[in-house]
Amino acid sequence: MDHFRQVSEKSRFIRHFRIENPPDSDSYPFRLPVVKHLYETGGLPLRSGLTFLVGENGTGKSTLLEALAVAAGMNAEGGSQNYRFATRSSESSLSQYLSLVWGMEKPRSRFFLRAETYYNVATETERLSFDQIAALGGVSPHARSHGESFVDLMQHRFHADGLYFMDEPEAALSPHACLGVIARLTELVEHQRCQVVVATHSPMLLASGIHAD
Ligand SMILES: Nc1ncnc2c1ncn2[C@@H]1O[C@H](COP(=O)(O)OP(=O)(O)OP(=O)(O)O)[C@@H](O)[C@H]1O
Ligand SMILES: [Mg+2]
């Protein structure tokens, strides 16, 4: 607990989140053990650098990450604050019951990467403006492979002092590209003061030894 408090106080952006007054319901997402646990234990501090969400299929990582991203002002299907599209609205109502405790500073940039809906984010990027494509390195994600588009995003769209959420970024990555992403994540959290939360099953990412705070 002392460790948690220490970590939490260092975070410049999101320090802590808790679930407040959830309905007493047996339906999704309130029936998920992780949601009940976080409610009963007062939530979780977030590291100032990198936090991994790890667990079996169906334990609620994506549900929690999506709720955090929405509560932090991002689009449920992925993207930044500027992305307001929904191809099929399926987000849970959990974000409405999440309370985020922010540090003294606000991130300069935010982005939520969801592997399974990045195609839709790419379409929205093209619709929004050329500036959005320029921000990804000048090539539309639709003109890149799945993995290339993820690497472009992290190289060009993720900046210092940013807040980033990623759901299974490894989904599109070759082992070699995964090493590149580990190097980029290291740079972002260890040298560029970013806060990143990643839901992952990737042994490579989990074994990366990136310094967390
Ligand atoms: N829109 C939804 N409506 C009802 N139940 C849902 C919905 N989305 C997810 N669930 C259920 O909630 C549980 C948690 O799903 P979630 O996608 O958050 O798991 P996860 O930990 O991300 O799993 P994975 O590792 O497979 O990505 C699952 O049992 C799933 O079937
Ligand atoms: Mg998931």
Side-chain angles (χ1 to χ4, degrees):
M1 202 50 200
D2 279 348
H3 170 67
F4 277 166
R5 204 169 294 127
Q6 228 178 18
V7 165
S8 156
E9 282 170 8
K10 274 168 65 178
S11 297
R12 301 157 61 224
F13 304 142
I14 302 174
R15 291 189 166 173
H16 193 116
F17 69 90
R18 59 177 80 91
I19 297 175
E20 289 183 339
N21 305 316
D24 186 13
S25 162
D26 283 335
S27 61
Y28 173 82
F30 306 103
R31 66 172 168 76
L32 296 178
V34 66
V35 172
K36 291 183 194 288
H37 178 77
L38 287 171
Y39 171 56
E40 286 162 9
T41 56
L44 206 64
L46 282 186
R47 293 173 181 276
S48 57
L50 179 63
T51 300
F52 284 125
L53 300 180
V54 184
E56 283 304 315
N57 295 124
T59 46
K61 301 177 299 298
S62 297
T63 302
L64 184 59
L65 197 64
E66 174 194 273
L68 281 169
V70 172
M74 289 169 245
N75 189 46
E77 257 183 67
S80 67
Q81 309 94 296
N82 301 325
Y83 289 65
R84 287 284 160 237
F85 72 99
T87 42
R88 180 184 179 280
S89 187
S90 67
E91 74 261 30
S92 79
S93 57
L94 183 59
S95 63
Q96 295 165 30
Y97 301 90
L98 272 194
S99 168
L100 306 186
V101 178
W102 290 86
M104 300 298 285
E105 298 169 59
K106 286 284 185 284
R108 286 179 55 204
S109 121
R110 308 173 200 210
F111 204 97
F112 177 28
L113 167 68
R114 303 187 73 141
E116 80 268 31
T117 52
Y118 196 61
Y119 183 92
N120 305 332
V121 171
T123 303
E124 179 67 1
T125 302
E126 287 190 343
R127 197 190 65 77
L128 279 173
S129 72
F130 284 119
D131 288 350
Q132 298 287 336
I133 294 174
L136 290 173
V139 184
S140 164
H142 280 314
R144 302 284 271 160
S145 79
H146 198 195
E148 285 172 338
S149 66
F150 282 20
V151 172
D152 282 351
L153 180 77
M154 291 190 64
Q155 287 296 343
H156 302 293
R157 175 61 182 72
F158 287 12
H159 301 292
D161 303 300
L163 172 65
Y164 302 115
F165 297 90
M166 294 194 278
D167 196 354
E168 298 192 33
E170 71 272 15
L173 301 174
S174 72
H176 184 255
C178 202
L179 289 175
V181 162
I182 288 168
R184 180 66 178 139
L185 270 178
T186 304
E187 189 175 36
L188 289 167
V189 302
E190 291 187 7
H191 306 293
Q192 299 191 344
R193 304 166 303 282
C194 290
Q195 187 175 38
V196 184
V197 184
V198 183
T200 185
H201 296 291
S202 165
M204 285 179 75
L205 282 178
L206 293 172
S208 60
I210 299 172
H211 193 262
D213 304 314

